[in-house]
Amino acid sequence: MRSVDRREGRFADRLTSRSAAACLAVAGILAGVLVGNSALGTVPGCGFGSDAYPSQTAGDWTAHADHVVVATPVKERSINRRDYEEGRTLYDVEREVTFRADDVLWGTERPGRPVGAEFELVAPGWRVIRASGDRFDHTNANAPRFETGHTYLLALRWDAGRWAVLGEGAAVPFDDRTVGQGEWCGRDLSKEDVARGERFSRPDDTSLEESLLGRNAQAVTRELDKASRK
């Protein structure tokens, strides 16, 4: 079975305020153009997410997360395979990704559960095309896909018996311990991509990722501590 490095999906007609989308656009990954309100269309196949809990600002993180961690995927396994008797897709799967907790930057006084040295998150997997056998990666909507070889900043909540991020704003690329650098929506963002993307982000974007782009873990901790005192 062949595996190909491409993503499928459709352009959404909504707009995104995430600065990472702008970074991808400048890097030549985004096929859309600037549309209205100085915002950008989404990456093909990445779509638009909905938050289980508010997830954009430092205040959202401290109000709803149990822990904020720096974490690195160390292994994964396929789960929840679905087979299709007809149609273009032969089957699709999700992934259970095991993360190593490198640092805990913040925690609520009464967490739903302590975070261990390792923990698991359910992440997008892939689908296999019936006719060709080609495999296409699924992606999280406006968020990292969670791939080995990268590091992430995550606002975690113990929810329905397992760990989950608050929403699409609570999973931030963090390669080299730098906010906004690394894997996002299945693509890699460099420091140069991030710097160029800042020029396109909305001036009223107050997300933690936007406010701390290019900063380190100490800056994140200071912002979370300040938000928790309000």
Short mmCIF file of all heavy atoms in Angstrom, two decimals, residues 3-11 24 29 31 42-47 76 88 95 124-127 129 134-140 143-148 150 152 183-188:
data_model
loop_
_atom_site.label_atom_id
_atom_site.label_comp_id
_atom_site.label_asym_id
_atom_site.label_seq_id
_atom_site.Cartn_x
_atom_site.Cartn_y
_atom_site.Cartn_z
N SER A 3 1.84 5.19 0.52
CA SER A 3 1.53 6.32 1.39
C SER A 3 2.04 7.57 0.72
O SER A 3 3.18 7.63 0.30
CB SER A 3 2.19 6.15 2.76
OG SER A 3 1.94 7.28 3.56
N VAL A 4 1.17 8.56 0.58
CA VAL A 4 1.56 9.77 -0.13
C VAL A 4 1.51 10.94 0.80
O VAL A 4 0.68 11.01 1.70
CB VAL A 4 0.65 10.02 -1.36
CG1 VAL A 4 0.83 8.94 -2.40
CG2 VAL A 4 -0.80 10.12 -0.95
N ASP A 5 2.40 11.90 0.59
CA ASP A 5 2.50 13.08 1.45
C ASP A 5 1.66 14.19 0.87
O ASP A 5 2.16 15.13 0.26
CB ASP A 5 3.95 13.53 1.56
CG ASP A 5 4.10 14.70 2.50
OD1 ASP A 5 3.19 14.88 3.33
OD2 ASP A 5 5.11 15.40 2.41
N ARG A 6 0.34 14.08 1.04
CA ARG A 6 -0.54 15.14 0.61
C ARG A 6 -1.79 15.11 1.48
O ARG A 6 -2.15 14.11 2.04
CB ARG A 6 -0.91 15.01 -0.87
CG ARG A 6 -1.26 13.62 -1.32
CD ARG A 6 -1.54 13.62 -2.80
NE ARG A 6 -1.53 12.24 -3.29
CZ ARG A 6 -2.16 11.84 -4.37
NH1 ARG A 6 -2.84 12.71 -5.07
NH2 ARG A 6 -2.10 10.59 -4.76
N ARG A 7 -2.48 16.23 1.54
CA ARG A 7 -3.66 16.34 2.36
C ARG A 7 -4.87 16.60 1.47
O ARG A 7 -4.77 17.30 0.46
CB ARG A 7 -3.55 17.50 3.36
CG ARG A 7 -2.87 17.10 4.68
CD ARG A 7 -1.43 16.89 4.51
NE ARG A 7 -0.80 16.52 5.78
CZ ARG A 7 0.45 16.13 5.85
NH1 ARG A 7 1.20 16.02 4.80
NH2 ARG A 7 0.95 15.83 7.03
N GLU A 8 -6.01 15.99 1.84
CA GLU A 8 -7.22 16.22 1.10
C GLU A 8 -8.15 17.10 1.90
O GLU A 8 -8.06 17.19 3.09
CB GLU A 8 -7.93 14.89 0.82
CG GLU A 8 -7.31 14.10 -0.31
CD GLU A 8 -8.29 13.05 -0.78
OE1 GLU A 8 -9.02 12.54 0.07
OE2 GLU A 8 -8.32 12.79 -1.98
N GLY A 9 -9.11 17.68 1.23
CA GLY A 9 -10.13 18.44 1.92
C GLY A 9 -10.67 19.53 1.05
O GLY A 9 -10.34 19.62 -0.13
N ARG A 10 -11.45 20.39 1.61
CA ARG A 10 -12.04 21.47 0.86
C ARG A 10 -11.79 22.78 1.57
O ARG A 10 -11.59 22.82 2.76
CB ARG A 10 -13.55 21.24 0.71
CG ARG A 10 -14.27 21.16 2.05
CD ARG A 10 -15.73 20.80 1.85
NE ARG A 10 -16.40 20.71 3.15
CZ ARG A 10 -17.66 20.36 3.28
NH1 ARG A 10 -18.38 20.07 2.23
NH2 ARG A 10 -18.21 20.30 4.47
N PHE A 11 -11.85 23.86 0.77
CA PHE A 11 -11.72 25.18 1.37
C PHE A 11 -13.01 25.51 2.11
O PHE A 11 -14.09 25.34 1.58
CB PHE A 11 -11.50 26.24 0.29
CG PHE A 11 -10.14 26.19 -0.32
CD1 PHE A 11 -9.94 25.68 -1.58
CD2 PHE A 11 -9.05 26.64 0.40
CE1 PHE A 11 -8.68 25.62 -2.13
CE2 PHE A 11 -7.78 26.59 -0.15
CZ PHE A 11 -7.60 26.07 -1.42
N LEU A 24 1.23 29.93 7.40
CA LEU A 24 1.19 28.95 6.34
C LEU A 24 0.95 29.61 4.99
O LEU A 24 1.49 29.19 3.97
CB LEU A 24 0.09 27.92 6.62
CG LEU A 24 0.36 27.00 7.80
CD1 LEU A 24 -0.87 26.15 8.07
CD2 LEU A 24 1.55 26.11 7.53
N ILE A 29 1.92 27.51 1.58
CA ILE A 29 1.16 26.29 1.79
C ILE A 29 -0.32 26.54 1.56
O ILE A 29 -1.04 25.69 1.08
CB ILE A 29 1.41 25.75 3.21
CG1 ILE A 29 2.88 25.39 3.36
CG2 ILE A 29 0.54 24.57 3.53
CD1 ILE A 29 3.32 25.15 4.78
N ALA A 31 -3.53 27.80 -0.22
CA ALA A 31 -3.87 28.06 -1.61
C ALA A 31 -4.86 29.20 -1.74
O ALA A 31 -5.15 29.65 -2.85
CB ALA A 31 -4.44 26.80 -2.26
N THR A 42 -8.72 29.02 5.17
CA THR A 42 -8.05 27.95 5.89
C THR A 42 -7.19 27.09 4.99
O THR A 42 -7.29 27.12 3.78
CB THR A 42 -9.09 27.06 6.60
OG1 THR A 42 -8.41 26.12 7.40
CG2 THR A 42 -9.95 26.30 5.62
N VAL A 43 -6.34 26.29 5.59
CA VAL A 43 -5.51 25.34 4.86
C VAL A 43 -6.39 24.23 4.32
O VAL A 43 -7.25 23.73 5.03
CB VAL A 43 -4.44 24.75 5.79
CG1 VAL A 43 -3.63 23.69 5.07
CG2 VAL A 43 -3.55 25.84 6.32
N PRO A 44 -6.22 23.81 3.06
CA PRO A 44 -7.02 22.72 2.54
C PRO A 44 -6.93 21.49 3.44
O PRO A 44 -5.85 21.06 3.80
CB PRO A 44 -6.38 22.44 1.17
CG PRO A 44 -5.75 23.73 0.78
CD PRO A 44 -5.27 24.33 2.08
N GLY A 45 -8.10 20.96 3.80
CA GLY A 45 -8.12 19.76 4.62
C GLY A 45 -8.04 20.04 6.10
O GLY A 45 -8.20 19.13 6.89
N CYS A 46 -7.81 21.29 6.50
CA CYS A 46 -7.65 21.57 7.91
C CYS A 46 -8.95 22.02 8.57
O CYS A 46 -9.16 21.78 9.73
CB CYS A 46 -6.56 22.63 8.11
SG CYS A 46 -5.73 22.50 9.69
N GLY A 47 -9.80 22.70 7.85
CA GLY A 47 -11.12 23.01 8.34
C GLY A 47 -11.15 23.99 9.50
O GLY A 47 -10.18 24.67 9.79
N GLU A 76 2.71 6.18 18.77
CA GLU A 76 1.31 6.26 18.40
C GLU A 76 0.83 4.88 17.97
O GLU A 76 1.62 4.01 17.61
CB GLU A 76 1.11 7.25 17.25
CG GLU A 76 1.83 6.88 15.98
CD GLU A 76 1.61 7.89 14.86
OE1 GLU A 76 1.72 9.10 15.12
OE2 GLU A 76 1.33 7.44 13.74
N ARG A 88 -15.62 6.07 -2.03
CA ARG A 88 -14.22 6.29 -2.35
C ARG A 88 -13.26 5.78 -1.28
O ARG A 88 -12.16 5.31 -1.56
CB ARG A 88 -14.00 7.78 -2.57
CG ARG A 88 -12.63 8.10 -3.12
CD ARG A 88 -12.44 9.60 -3.24
NE ARG A 88 -11.16 9.91 -3.87
CZ ARG A 88 -10.53 11.04 -3.73
NH1 ARG A 88 -11.04 11.99 -2.97
NH2 ARG A 88 -9.37 11.26 -4.33
N ARG A 95 -5.78 7.99 15.69
CA ARG A 95 -4.55 7.58 16.37
C ARG A 95 -4.65 7.89 17.85
O ARG A 95 -5.23 8.91 18.24
CB ARG A 95 -3.34 8.34 15.82
CG ARG A 95 -2.98 8.03 14.37
CD ARG A 95 -1.85 8.93 13.91
NE ARG A 95 -2.23 10.33 14.02
CZ ARG A 95 -1.41 11.30 14.46
NH1 ARG A 95 -0.17 11.03 14.84
NH2 ARG A 95 -1.84 12.54 14.52
N PRO A 124 -6.10 12.88 14.99
CA PRO A 124 -6.51 12.43 13.65
C PRO A 124 -5.55 11.38 13.11
O PRO A 124 -4.35 11.42 13.38
CB PRO A 124 -6.44 13.72 12.82
CG PRO A 124 -6.53 14.83 13.80
CD PRO A 124 -5.84 14.32 15.03
N GLY A 125 -6.08 10.47 12.33
CA GLY A 125 -5.27 9.43 11.71
C GLY A 125 -5.16 9.63 10.21
O GLY A 125 -4.57 10.60 9.76
N TRP A 126 -5.75 8.73 9.46
CA TRP A 126 -5.70 8.84 8.00
C TRP A 126 -6.85 8.03 7.40
O TRP A 126 -7.54 7.27 8.07
CB TRP A 126 -4.37 8.32 7.47
CG TRP A 126 -4.04 6.92 7.87
CD1 TRP A 126 -4.51 5.76 7.30
CD2 TRP A 126 -3.20 6.52 8.94
NE1 TRP A 126 -4.00 4.67 7.96
CE2 TRP A 126 -3.19 5.10 8.96
CE3 TRP A 126 -2.44 7.22 9.90
CZ2 TRP A 126 -2.47 4.37 9.89
CZ3 TRP A 126 -1.72 6.48 10.82
CH2 TRP A 126 -1.73 5.09 10.82
N ARG A 127 -7.02 8.22 6.10
CA ARG A 127 -7.95 7.38 5.36
C ARG A 127 -7.26 6.82 4.14
O ARG A 127 -6.34 7.42 3.59
CB ARG A 127 -9.20 8.16 4.95
CG ARG A 127 -8.98 9.34 4.04
CD ARG A 127 -10.31 9.89 3.59
NE ARG A 127 -10.18 11.21 3.00
CZ ARG A 127 -11.15 11.80 2.32
NH1 ARG A 127 -12.30 11.18 2.15
NH2 ARG A 127 -10.97 13.00 1.81
N ILE A 129 -7.72 5.31 0.26
CA ILE A 129 -8.59 5.37 -0.89
C ILE A 129 -8.73 3.98 -1.51
O ILE A 129 -7.74 3.27 -1.73
CB ILE A 129 -8.04 6.37 -1.93
CG1 ILE A 129 -7.87 7.75 -1.28
CG2 ILE A 129 -8.96 6.46 -3.14
CD1 ILE A 129 -9.13 8.32 -0.66
N ASP A 134 -3.92 4.77 -1.93
CA ASP A 134 -3.23 5.92 -1.37
C ASP A 134 -3.76 6.24 0.02
O ASP A 134 -4.96 6.08 0.30
CB ASP A 134 -3.41 7.15 -2.26
CG ASP A 134 -2.64 7.04 -3.57
OD1 ASP A 134 -1.80 6.14 -3.68
OD2 ASP A 134 -2.89 7.87 -4.47
N ARG A 135 -2.87 6.71 0.88
CA ARG A 135 -3.23 7.06 2.25
C ARG A 135 -3.13 8.56 2.43
O ARG A 135 -2.09 9.16 2.12
CB ARG A 135 -2.31 6.35 3.24
CG ARG A 135 -2.79 6.46 4.68
CD ARG A 135 -1.87 5.70 5.60
NE ARG A 135 -0.72 6.52 6.00
CZ ARG A 135 0.19 6.12 6.89
NH1 ARG A 135 0.10 4.92 7.43
NH2 ARG A 135 1.19 6.91 7.21
N PHE A 136 -4.17 9.17 2.94
CA PHE A 136 -4.21 10.61 3.15
C PHE A 136 -4.34 10.91 4.64
O PHE A 136 -5.23 10.37 5.31
CB PHE A 136 -5.39 11.25 2.40
CG PHE A 136 -5.25 11.19 0.91
CD1 PHE A 136 -5.74 10.11 0.19
CD2 PHE A 136 -4.62 12.21 0.22
CE1 PHE A 136 -5.62 10.05 -1.19
CE2 PHE A 136 -4.48 12.16 -1.16
CZ PHE A 136 -4.98 11.07 -1.86
N ASP A 137 -3.46 11.76 5.14
CA ASP A 137 -3.51 12.14 6.54
C ASP A 137 -4.71 13.03 6.82
O ASP A 137 -5.00 13.95 6.06
CB ASP A 137 -2.24 12.90 6.94
CG ASP A 137 -1.02 12.01 6.97
OD1 ASP A 137 -1.18 10.77 6.94
OD2 ASP A 137 0.11 12.55 7.03
N HIS A 138 -5.39 12.75 7.91
CA HIS A 138 -6.38 13.68 8.45
C HIS A 138 -5.64 14.71 9.31
O HIS A 138 -4.54 14.44 9.81
CB HIS A 138 -7.41 12.96 9.30
CG HIS A 138 -8.42 12.20 8.53
ND1 HIS A 138 -9.17 12.74 7.51
CD2 HIS A 138 -8.80 10.89 8.62
CE1 HIS A 138 -9.98 11.82 7.02
NE2 HIS A 138 -9.78 10.69 7.66
N THR A 139 -6.24 15.86 9.50
CA THR A 139 -5.65 16.90 10.34
C THR A 139 -6.67 17.42 11.33
O THR A 139 -7.87 17.37 11.10
CB THR A 139 -5.14 18.09 9.50
OG1 THR A 139 -6.21 18.57 8.67
CG2 THR A 139 -3.97 17.68 8.62
N ASN A 140 -6.17 17.92 12.46
CA ASN A 140 -7.02 18.66 13.39
C ASN A 140 -7.41 19.98 12.77
O ASN A 140 -6.62 20.59 12.04
CB ASN A 140 -6.27 18.94 14.69
CG ASN A 140 -6.50 17.86 15.73
OD1 ASN A 140 -7.59 17.32 15.85
ND2 ASN A 140 -5.46 17.55 16.47
N ALA A 143 -5.25 23.36 14.05
CA ALA A 143 -4.45 22.94 15.19
C ALA A 143 -3.40 21.94 14.74
O ALA A 143 -3.47 21.42 13.62
CB ALA A 143 -5.35 22.30 16.26
N PRO A 144 -2.41 21.66 15.58
CA PRO A 144 -1.44 20.62 15.22
C PRO A 144 -2.10 19.26 15.05
O PRO A 144 -3.13 18.95 15.65
CB PRO A 144 -0.49 20.61 16.43
CG PRO A 144 -0.63 21.95 17.04
CD PRO A 144 -2.07 22.32 16.85
N ARG A 145 -1.46 18.43 14.23
CA ARG A 145 -1.91 17.06 14.04
C ARG A 145 -1.33 16.14 15.11
O ARG A 145 -1.84 15.06 15.33
CB ARG A 145 -1.48 16.58 12.65
CG ARG A 145 -2.03 15.22 12.25
CD ARG A 145 -1.70 14.88 10.81
NE ARG A 145 -2.29 13.60 10.46
CZ ARG A 145 -1.69 12.43 10.60
NH1 ARG A 145 -0.44 12.40 11.08
NH2 ARG A 145 -2.28 11.31 10.26
N PHE A 146 -0.25 16.56 15.78
CA PHE A 146 0.48 15.82 16.80
C PHE A 146 1.32 14.71 16.15
O PHE A 146 0.88 13.56 16.03
CB PHE A 146 -0.44 15.22 17.87
CG PHE A 146 -1.23 16.23 18.64
CD1 PHE A 146 -2.53 15.96 19.02
CD2 PHE A 146 -0.67 17.45 18.97
CE1 PHE A 146 -3.27 16.88 19.74
CE2 PHE A 146 -1.39 18.38 19.69
CZ PHE A 146 -2.70 18.11 20.07
N GLU A 147 2.51 15.07 15.75
CA GLU A 147 3.40 14.15 15.06
C GLU A 147 4.70 14.00 15.84
O GLU A 147 5.20 14.95 16.45
CB GLU A 147 3.68 14.64 13.64
CG GLU A 147 2.42 14.69 12.77
CD GLU A 147 2.70 15.11 11.34
OE1 GLU A 147 3.80 15.68 11.10
OE2 GLU A 147 1.84 14.88 10.47
N THR A 148 5.26 12.78 15.81
CA THR A 148 6.54 12.55 16.46
C THR A 148 7.61 13.42 15.81
O THR A 148 7.50 13.77 14.63
CB THR A 148 6.93 11.07 16.37
OG1 THR A 148 6.96 10.68 14.99
CG2 THR A 148 5.95 10.19 17.13
N HIS A 150 8.22 16.41 16.99
CA HIS A 150 7.84 17.79 17.30
C HIS A 150 7.45 17.91 18.78
O HIS A 150 7.22 16.90 19.46
CB HIS A 150 6.66 18.24 16.43
CG HIS A 150 6.99 18.34 14.98
ND1 HIS A 150 7.66 19.41 14.43
CD2 HIS A 150 6.76 17.48 13.96
CE1 HIS A 150 7.83 19.21 13.14
NE2 HIS A 150 7.30 18.05 12.82
N TYR A 152 5.02 20.32 21.67
CA TYR A 152 3.79 21.11 21.70
C TYR A 152 3.56 21.71 23.09
O TYR A 152 3.99 21.16 24.10
CB TYR A 152 2.59 20.24 21.33
CG TYR A 152 2.73 19.60 19.98
CD1 TYR A 152 3.33 18.35 19.84
CD2 TYR A 152 2.30 20.24 18.83
CE1 TYR A 152 3.49 17.75 18.61
CE2 TYR A 152 2.45 19.65 17.57
CZ TYR A 152 3.05 18.41 17.47
OH TYR A 152 3.22 17.83 16.24
N GLU A 183 5.13 21.94 14.10
CA GLU A 183 4.09 21.34 13.26
C GLU A 183 2.73 21.95 13.55
O GLU A 183 2.32 22.08 14.69
CB GLU A 183 4.05 19.82 13.52
CG GLU A 183 3.04 19.07 12.66
CD GLU A 183 1.67 18.94 13.30
OE1 GLU A 183 1.60 18.70 14.53
OE2 GLU A 183 0.66 19.11 12.59
N TRP A 184 2.05 22.31 12.49
CA TRP A 184 0.69 22.85 12.61
C TRP A 184 -0.11 22.38 11.41
O TRP A 184 0.27 22.59 10.26
CB TRP A 184 0.71 24.38 12.67
CG TRP A 184 -0.64 24.99 12.91
CD1 TRP A 184 -1.25 25.20 14.11
CD2 TRP A 184 -1.54 25.49 11.92
NE1 TRP A 184 -2.49 25.79 13.93
CE2 TRP A 184 -2.68 25.96 12.59
CE3 TRP A 184 -1.50 25.55 10.52
CZ2 TRP A 184 -3.78 26.52 11.91
CZ3 TRP A 184 -2.59 26.10 9.85
CH2 TRP A 184 -3.72 26.58 10.55
N CYS A 185 -1.21 21.68 11.67
CA CYS A 185 -2.08 21.18 10.61
C CYS A 185 -1.31 20.28 9.64
O CYS A 185 -1.55 20.29 8.43
CB CYS A 185 -2.72 22.34 9.87
SG CYS A 185 -4.29 21.91 9.09
N GLY A 186 -0.33 19.54 10.17
CA GLY A 186 0.43 18.62 9.36
C GLY A 186 1.57 19.23 8.59
O GLY A 186 2.23 18.56 7.80
N ARG A 187 1.84 20.51 8.80
CA ARG A 187 2.93 21.21 8.11
C ARG A 187 3.90 21.79 9.14
O ARG A 187 3.53 22.05 10.28
CB ARG A 187 2.37 22.35 7.25
CG ARG A 187 1.32 21.91 6.25
CD ARG A 187 1.92 21.10 5.12
NE ARG A 187 0.94 20.84 4.09
CZ ARG A 187 1.21 20.22 2.95
NH1 ARG A 187 2.43 19.79 2.70
NH2 ARG A 187 0.27 20.00 2.06
N ASP A 188 5.12 22.02 8.71
CA ASP A 188 6.14 22.58 9.60
C ASP A 188 6.25 24.09 9.40
O ASP A 188 6.32 24.57 8.27
CB ASP A 188 7.51 21.96 9.32
CG ASP A 188 7.58 20.51 9.75
OD1 ASP A 188 6.60 20.05 10.37
OD2 ASP A 188 8.58 19.85 9.47
#
